[in-house]
């Protein structure tokens, strides 16, 4: 069934993952709210590769990613 929003929110609420540089959440039915939670999160400070392929987050999710200051 993929990642439900509460699962993504719980992941983002955990202590930081300081060594994580790649995260694949492709094919997880991730909605815009889940992508926005990832974009707001500070738990992935060294993330350089985020795979969100084939998720239905649409323009709202893409905008949230574009505004994510920690990944610029």
């Amino acid at each position: 069934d993929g990642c439900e929003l509460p699962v993504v929110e719980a992941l983002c609420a955990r202590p930081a993952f300081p060594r994580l540089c790649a995260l694949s959440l492709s094919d997880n039915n991730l909605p815009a709210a889940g992508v926005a939670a990832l974009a707001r999160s500070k738990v992935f400070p060294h993330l350089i590769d985020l795979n969100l392929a084939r998720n239905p987050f649409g323009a709202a999710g893409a905008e949230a990613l574009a505004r994510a200051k920690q990944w610029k």
Side-chain angles (χ1 to χ4, degrees):
D1 285 336
C3 285
E4 294 183 16
L5 183 56
V7 174
V8 174
E9 289 174 336
L11 177 66
C12 293
R14 297 190 43 89
F17 294 92
R19 294 184 178 166
L20 187 72
C21 61
L23 178 62
S24 178
L25 294 172
S26 62
D27 297 306
N28 274 289
N29 201 29
L30 195 60
V35 172
L38 287 170
R40 287 188 308 270
S41 175
K42 304 289 190 230
V43 300
F44 310 109
H46 298 287
L47 192 65
I48 57 172
D49 183 4
L50 178 60
N51 184 350
L52 296 173
R54 295 175 301 281
N55 282 290
F57 54 80
E63 289 173 17
L65 288 172
R67 288 189 304 268
K69 295 181 184 348
Q70 71 272 19
W71 297 328
K72 293 191 179 203

